[in-house]
Amino acid sequence: MTITTTIDGSKGKFDWTRPVLALFAACLVLLIVLPLSWLALYSVTDKAGRVTLQNFVTLFSDPDFLDPLMTTAIIATTSALICCVVAAPMGWLVSRTDMPGRQFIRALVTASFVTPPFLGAVAWELLAAPNSGLLNQLYRFATGQQGGGEPLFNIYSLTGIIFVISCYTFPFVFVLVANALDNMPGELEDASAILGGRAWTTARRVTIPLALPALVAGALIAFLQAMTLFGSPAILALPAGFHTMTTKIWSLFQYPPKLELAAAAAVPLLLLTILLLQAQKFILGRRGYSVVGGKYGAPRRVEMGGWRWAALGFCLLILLSPVFLPYFALLNAAFSPNATTLVTPATATLHNIVFVFTELSSTQLALKNTVILGASTATIGTVLALVVAYVTTRRAISGHRLLGFLATAPVAVPGIVLGVGLFLSYTRPPFVLYGTLWILLIAFLTINLPSAYQQLQAAFATIHPELEDASRILGATGLQSLRQITAPLLRTGVIATWCFIFIGVMRELSAAIILFTSQTKVLSVLIYDLNESGDLAAISVLGIAMLVITFAVVLAVNQIPGFGAGATARLRNS
């Protein structure tokens, strides 16, 4: 039993700190270890429950599985390369030049990050479907082919999928490269210039080597994101007649379900994700290009002269694809009698909005479920991440390193893989949660925990433990010190973490598509279901509602005193 002792030597009340922290540790183990254990078990058993490796033999020998594996590799590799080609110059222009509108460009990149990739895929259906896409209609009108002819774009193709995935993956590369360039000491480039190095020589021998680790790490993250996405391939690849690994895993849950093969197919994604994250950690953690020394000045911005506006035009042109054109397509479809016809003041209608919110029976339920799960996951996840970050940074209990590992481990579990593991875990006693919101809460909590934990762990490092020590000397328990002293000092980081988790829940589809039922649909699943029925106007209304809720949360937390632009930047950089 642990009893607190005050400064005068008197005994206080029982200290619940260790039991509570141990309970949090047990919850963390249950969240992560249980689904992965069932996933591993099912991957090496057959329908009769016998141990076998036949599932993996089938996986790597049957063309029905090999083709999606190769397709996924092509999509992920090509998307990562495109992201680097696009995001690296944009990061340099925003961070190191005097290009006008730099903060505006950063905000637009943030908008592309907040936009769910599956919603972007629907928007590009509206824009570039072979027959009805707005861009193809415009092309036929301009070339006099109103009666038919070859389309200019075909979004239902491998090229189209790579393009759409790249649109919503490049922010990961942009953020890493821009942050690396923002933090690069300007004195290094100044020294190169003083020693006679020209602009290209300085860039080749100083700037690029310092930014290269961030670029490579960004490429790995882009590859990982493209490899594990479900929404965009499901919306664009399935109509084109081919699968990726995520859509193939999802298809194995259709009747008759093949759970053993689904588990086996999820294992390569899990292992490859772990390898990529370890490679990214190694690259960002290496010291070959590190800067050694004290505080350095801000980097000097490159004066571009007349090219400043051309650079801004380049950035805006790039952002046409993930932001301007998709948002225009969604707004047009929401207010048009026909989703693929340009709206005019004479044809504008509110019928689609009225239909979605008054006549579509699933809307109210999906909206309620999404808000409940978003707020609950954000609140529980923030508290859990706060306590775990406290334990690991303050070494409050034995085994704190293992706890830190478990808190970051879910980052290596793709959403579709986690969905499989949770389905296998919670459709049987003693935890029968399938068909309830609880299983989705667990999924969303597990997916968002690593980022929340890392943000708050970094925030804890800025607060000296002597403040907590003084509180405990005066009779407070560890939990009281955390609640009354440390947590208020971390208010900005806590708010940013809550906001980040809420946004993550809004855009999550990969796990939800495996775990939902008719009573537990969320907005992302409802949008996917409506896409299968072809109701693009209703999708546009729901997509805009989703974006409005997301941006409203971001704007609301920015109004809280003390939050400010710095915390918003941390949220964006997460």
Side-chain angles (χ1 to χ4, degrees), residues 473-491:
I473 290 173
L474 294 173
T477 66
L479 288 179
Q480 288 175 326
S481 298
L482 174 62
R483 180 171 57 87
Q484 298 175 358
I485 305 296
T486 313
L489 293 173
L490 292 173
R491 184 181 64 168

Side-chain angles (χ1 to χ4, degrees), residues 237-417:
L238 295 184
F242 61 89
H243 277 285
T244 64
M245 281 305 296
T246 53
T247 61
K248 188 64 180 178
I249 291 172
W250 170 76
S251 72
L252 294 172
F253 278 80
Q254 310 308 304
Y255 186 83
K258 301 175 182 177
L259 302 182
E260 294 79 12
L261 282 175
V267 170
L269 281 182
L270 177 61
L271 296 178
L272 187 54
T273 301
I274 293 172
L275 290 175
L276 289 174
L277 289 172
Q278 287 300 315
Q280 186 246 12
K281 182 179 178 181
F282 170 77
I283 290 169
L284 288 181
R286 64 181 300 180
R287 292 293 177 260
Y289 295 130
S290 290
V291 178
V292 180
K295 185 176 180 181
Y296 290 89
R300 182 178 301 172
R301 298 200 178 275
V302 176
E303 297 182 2
M304 302 188 69
W307 290 98
R308 297 166 62 240
W309 297 103
L312 177 61
F314 165 77
C315 292
L316 292 176
L317 182 65
I318 294 298
L319 290 166
L320 273 176
S321 298
V323 181
F324 295 120
L325 286 176
Y327 283 17
F328 166 77
L330 293 173
L331 287 169
N332 178 79
F335 294 99
S336 175
N338 186 341
T340 56
T341 301
L342 282 176
V343 67
T344 65
T347 61
T349 177
L350 296 178
H351 169 74
N352 298 325
I353 298 175
V354 173
F355 169 75
V356 167
F357 289 105
T358 62
E359 300 179 31
L360 188 60
S361 58
S362 301
T363 301
Q364 300 298 328
L365 178 63
L367 186 60
K368 183 181 75 172
N369 289 342
T370 302
V371 173
I372 290 174
L373 286 169
S376 301
T377 305
T379 303
I380 297 172
T382 300
V383 172
L384 182 60
L386 182 69
V387 173
V388 175
Y390 169 78
V391 169
T392 55
T393 54
R394 301 301 190 248
R395 302 177 181 181
I397 61 174
S398 57
H400 59 87
R401 291 182 180 176
L402 177 60
L403 204 59
F405 169 77
L406 289 175
T408 55
V411 76
V413 186
I416 194 81
V417 174

Side-chain angles (χ1 to χ4, degrees), residues 400-457:
H400 59 87
R401 291 182 180 176
L402 177 60
L403 204 59
F405 169 77
L406 289 175
T408 55
V411 76
V413 186
I416 194 81
V417 174
L418 179 66
V420 175
L422 290 174
F423 181 89
L424 299 175
S425 302
Y426 296 112
T427 53
R428 67 194 68 249
F431 306 109
V432 183
L433 300 180
Y434 184 70
T436 70
L437 289 179
W438 287 105
I439 193 169
L440 289 170
L441 176 65
I442 292 172
F444 296 153
L445 192 60
T446 307
I447 290 171
N448 290 285
L449 179 61
S451 298
Y453 165 71
Q454 289 171 354
Q455 289 185 74
L456 290 175
Q457 189 184 44

Side-chain angles (χ1 to χ4, degrees), residues 48-394:
R50 296 186 297 264
V51 176
T52 178
L53 295 178
Q54 184 59 42
N55 296 326
F56 292 102
V57 173
T58 302
L59 182 65
F60 291 104
S61 61
D62 189 339
D64 285 344
F65 292 96
L66 282 178
D67 290 345
L69 195 60
M70 293 301 298
T71 301
T72 301
I74 293 171
I75 291 174
T77 303
T78 310
S79 297
L81 291 175
I82 292 174
C83 289
C84 291
V85 171
V86 170
M90 282 186 64
W92 180 77
L93 289 172
V94 167
S95 298
R96 306 307 299 271
T97 72
D98 63 346
M99 180 186 73
R102 294 186 301 276
Q103 293 305 315
F104 178 62
I105 296 298
R106 287 184 187 265
L108 289 177
V109 173
T110 302
S112 66
F113 169 75
V114 169
T115 305
F118 62 85
L119 187 59
V122 172
W124 274 100
E125 277 190 306
L126 293 166
L127 290 164
N131 297 321
S132 60
L134 295 173
L135 295 179
N136 286 322
Q137 292 185 53
L138 180 63
Y139 169 72
R140 292 190 178 104
F141 175 79
T143 57
Q145 302 179 35
Q146 285 93 328
E150 288 295 318
L152 180 62
F153 304 104
N154 181 9
I155 206 64
Y156 301 118
S157 63
L158 184 63
T159 304
I161 294 169
I162 291 171
F163 168 75
V164 171
I165 289 178
S166 300
C167 286
Y168 299 99
T169 306
F170 88 94
F172 295 95
V173 183
F174 173 87
V175 166
L176 284 173
V177 172
N179 285 350
L181 293 171
D182 285 340
N183 297 324
M184 191 180 299
E187 284 83 349
L188 298 176
E189 293 169 313
D190 292 343
S192 174
I194 291 172
L195 294 173
R198 296 184 178 181
W200 169 241
T201 302
T202 300
R204 180 171 57 85
R205 304 191 65 176
V206 178
T207 309
I208 293 177
L210 284 172
L212 188 59
L215 179 62
V216 176
L220 291 176
I221 293 298
F223 183 97
L224 176 62
Q225 291 293 321
M227 180 184 70
T228 57
L229 272 181
F230 168 79
S232 299
I235 290 169
L236 301 177
L238 295 184
F242 61 89
H243 277 285
T244 64
M245 281 305 296
T246 53
T247 61
K248 188 64 180 178
I249 291 172
W250 170 76
S251 72
L252 294 172
F253 278 80
Q254 310 308 304
Y255 186 83
K258 301 175 182 177
L259 302 182
E260 294 79 12
L261 282 175
V267 170
L269 281 182
L270 177 61
L271 296 178
L272 187 54
T273 301
I274 293 172
L275 290 175
L276 289 174
L277 289 172
Q278 287 300 315
Q280 186 246 12
K281 182 179 178 181
F282 170 77
I283 290 169
L284 288 181
R286 64 181 300 180
R287 292 293 177 260
Y289 295 130
S290 290
V291 178
V292 180
K295 185 176 180 181
Y296 290 89
R300 182 178 301 172
R301 298 200 178 275
V302 176
E303 297 182 2
M304 302 188 69
W307 290 98
R308 297 166 62 240
W309 297 103
L312 177 61
F314 165 77
C315 292
L316 292 176
L317 182 65
I318 294 298
L319 290 166
L320 273 176
S321 298
V323 181
F324 295 120
L325 286 176
Y327 283 17
F328 166 77
L330 293 173
L331 287 169
N332 178 79
F335 294 99
S336 175
N338 186 341
T340 56
T341 301
L342 282 176
V343 67
T344 65
T347 61
T349 177
L350 296 178
H351 169 74
N352 298 325
I353 298 175
V354 173
F355 169 75
V356 167
F357 289 105
T358 62
E359 300 179 31
L360 188 60
S361 58
S362 301
T363 301
Q364 300 298 328
L365 178 63
L367 186 60
K368 183 181 75 172
N369 289 342
T370 302
V371 173
I372 290 174
L373 286 169
S376 301
T377 305
T379 303
I380 297 172
T382 300
V383 172
L384 182 60
L386 182 69
V387 173
V388 175
Y390 169 78
V391 169
T392 55
T393 54
R394 301 301 190 248

